[in-house]
Amino acid sequence: MNLPTAAAWAERHQVAVYLVAIAAAVLVGWTAPGAPSLAPAITPVLGLLLFATFLAVPFAALGRAFADLRFLTALLVVNFAVVPIVVLGLSRAVAGHEALLLGVLLVLLAPCVDYVIVFTGLAGGAADRLLAAAPLLMLAQMLLLPVYLLLLAGPQTVALVETGPFVEAFVLLILLPLAAATLVQRAASRSAAARRLESATAAAMVPLMALTLFTVITSQVRGVGEQLADLAVVVPLYAGFLVLMVPIGMVAARLARLDVPASRALVLGGATRNSLVVLPLALALPERLALTPFVVVTQTLVELVGMVVLVRLVPALVRARDPRHSGESTPSDRKAPRP
């Protein structure tokens, strides 16, 4: 099977590929003694995935995407006005346990700026608009997360959280992959090697996502399993968040009068959280909050399984009412575009 054929097969069966990756990760992570040592590989693997994602987005379209004030406003309102209300309600279930509460607040209050772009592209959403919004989302959560923690957990909790990991994640997961993708795109017009790199990277999108899923879950599942008795209470909170945010995102998209790709991007942009970026914040907490990183990782595991489902569910829920008049094709008429 040649590379284009293999890539086409992987794209057609992407959900099955991801489920196999998740199952294999759980098996390896639970049985292999050295599995947690894969944790340092999460950032480079995720950075490579984001490089592939950014490379697949025409940067000429980013200016237009950033100028879409209707989408940006809806995205900011959903993530920084609606989500805190949802999180306030859900987090009351663990309000009496400081480590659980802090983990839930850290991860659910921070909107995703990395692999949500990949999932949005796979779901036929406007990945370019989310990509354009990523720096704004990152800056907003850096500024607002301490405020929400102050309101929902108190000043003592805010004093425990360091912001340095946010800056590091922004550089490693956004700026560097974005800069590298920009250089390759510019070189592609005059370099055959750059064009081959673009083609190979596009063909590797599904395997890269599977590798990311495998790396994250393999390195973290044992720690979560060992703390499962304490962490069980947050699993339904995370699942409930996903279930609630899908209709909330759909209603917000309808109120903002967004087109189908932007609506899908808004739904996934509101439902997906920044777990891999806030994890270093949780790891920097004092020993008495040692459970908090596992609370964050549990959200990652729940969300990744949920995203595999939403990649297929969101296109079915958010589709043009009448493609003949909307100019949008339904998922049955076309394959979901790459991000």
Side-chain angles (χ1 to χ4, degrees):
M1 187 183 292
N2 57 35
L3 183 59
T5 303
W9 182 91
E11 188 166 347
R12 283 196 307 271
H13 301 90
Q14 58 189 257
V15 172
V17 171
Y18 300 150
L19 290 175
V20 169
I22 291 171
V26 171
L27 178 63
V28 174
W30 191 255
T31 58
S37 63
L38 278 178
I42 292 175
T43 295
V45 168
L46 186 58
L48 184 59
L49 174 67
L50 290 168
F51 165 73
T53 302
F54 298 158
L55 190 57
V57 176
F59 285 99
L62 288 186
R64 295 191 300 272
F66 194 75
D68 187 351
L69 295 180
R70 187 185 300 173
F71 173 77
L72 286 176
T73 300
L75 187 65
L76 291 173
V77 168
V78 166
N79 277 296
F80 299 111
V82 178
V83 164
I85 296 172
V86 174
V87 173
L88 172 62
L90 292 174
S91 64
R92 296 309 91 189
V94 293
H97 193 304
E98 185 181 31
L100 294 178
L101 176 63
L102 182 55
V104 168
L105 295 179
L106 275 175
V107 74
L108 291 186
L109 289 171
C112 187
V113 296
D114 39 59
Y115 60 48
V116 64
I117 301 166
V118 183
F119 283 118
T120 298
L122 294 173
D128 58 335
R129 298 186 217 190
L130 275 183
L131 175 56
L136 186 59
L137 285 176
M138 192 72 173
L139 178 61
Q141 64 189 266
M142 289 172 66
L143 296 174
L144 292 176
L145 186 58
V147 176
Y148 289 130
L149 290 177
L150 181 65
L151 293 174
L152 300 181
Q156 297 85 358
T157 301
V158 176
L160 297 173
V161 179
E162 300 178 7
T163 58
F166 260 124
V167 178
E168 181 181 353
F170 183 65
V171 172
L172 294 178
L173 298 179
I174 301 295
L175 291 186
L176 289 182
L178 190 56
T182 302
L183 292 174
V184 172
Q185 279 197 6
R186 289 182 176 177
S189 61
R190 58 184 184 275
S191 169
R195 289 192 294 273
R196 286 195 296 270
L197 178 59
E198 275 192 320
S199 299
T201 304
M205 183 65 70
V206 174
L208 281 172
M209 175 58 79
L211 177 62
T212 303
L213 293 173
F214 181 85
T215 304
V216 172
I217 295 174
T218 299
S219 64
Q220 303 298 328
V221 70
R222 174 174 288 277
V224 171
E226 291 172 349
Q227 303 287 340
L228 192 58
D230 294 322
L231 296 171
V233 66
V234 302
V235 173
L237 301 184
Y238 295 147
F241 181 84
L242 284 173
V243 170
L244 288 172
M245 290 310 301
V246 169
I248 287 173
M250 292 173 63
V251 170
R254 181 70 60 85
L255 292 175
R257 303 191 306 279
L258 301 179
D259 59 25
V260 170
S263 297
R264 293 173 183 171
L266 181 61
V267 171
L268 292 171
T272 314
R273 301 291 89 191
N274 217 6
S275 54
L276 299 182
V277 173
V278 301
L279 180 57
L281 300 178
L283 290 170
L285 293 170
E287 181 63 28
R288 65 187 176 89
L289 297 173
L291 185 63
T292 299
F294 295 111
V295 179
V296 173
V297 170
T298 301
Q299 192 277 337
T300 307
L301 301 179
V302 173
E303 179 176 89
L304 289 175
V305 175
M307 286 299 111
V308 170
V309 176
L310 290 184
V311 162
R312 287 297 179 89
L313 181 62
V314 169
L317 294 175
V318 183
R319 56 172 57 189
R321 292 181 177 181
D322 189 345
R324 294 171 298 177
H325 297 104
S326 68
E328 297 287 347
S329 59
T330 62
S332 62
D333 298 325
R334 59 174 174 84
K335 293 191 298 183
R338 295 182 184 278

